[in-house]
Amino acid sequence: MNMKGGFGNIMKQAAQMQQKMQKVQSELSEKTAEGTAGGGMVKVVANGKQEILSITINKEAVDPNDVEMLQDMVLEATNQALKNISKQISDAMSAVTGGMNIPGMF
């Protein structure tokens, strides 16, 4: 068995995987996911970079006497949007790595 050739093949496969990962990361940066709360009264959209792109609040959700409820809805919708985009990222990375958990890849 030629260990040198085997190592070269492993390095080639690693380089190919890295190229695929970069392509997926680029594609993911264009994807979005949303989270909602209060029956859609609050909507948050996040992108694949896990940045919040927008927050939409229905005017009926704004009650000056119950600011805490609005804060809770914004928090819930934001966490849901981030959870949804994280799932998309995880699924895409698993497709490239074949399910291997490679620390630091994303």
Side-chain angles (χ1 to χ4, degrees), residues 47-74:
N47 68 12
K49 295 178 184 178
Q50 297 185 339
E51 299 168 333
I52 302 302
L53 299 178
S54 67
I55 298 174
T56 305
I57 300 172
N58 188 313
K59 64 182 178 179
E60 285 82 31
V62 181
D63 180 353
N65 297 316
D66 196 0
V67 174
E68 292 82 15
M69 184 174 72
L70 179 55
Q71 291 170 337
D72 288 345
M73 286 191 292
V74 170

Side-chain angles (χ1 to χ4, degrees), residues 20-21 24-33 46-51 81-97 99-102 104-106:
K20 288 179 186 177
M21 295 292 277
V24 168
Q25 287 174 341
S26 175
E27 291 169 355
L28 282 169
S29 69
E30 303 296 319
K31 295 217 180 263
T32 61
N47 68 12
K49 295 178 184 178
Q50 297 185 339
E51 299 168 333
L82 291 174
K83 182 179 176 183
N84 291 343
I85 199 67
S86 290
K87 174 135 179 41
Q88 286 185 37
I89 292 167
S90 177
D91 291 348
M93 291 296 125
S94 289
V96 171
T97 63
M100 291 186 306
N101 186 8
I102 301 172
M105 288 302 278
F106 203 84

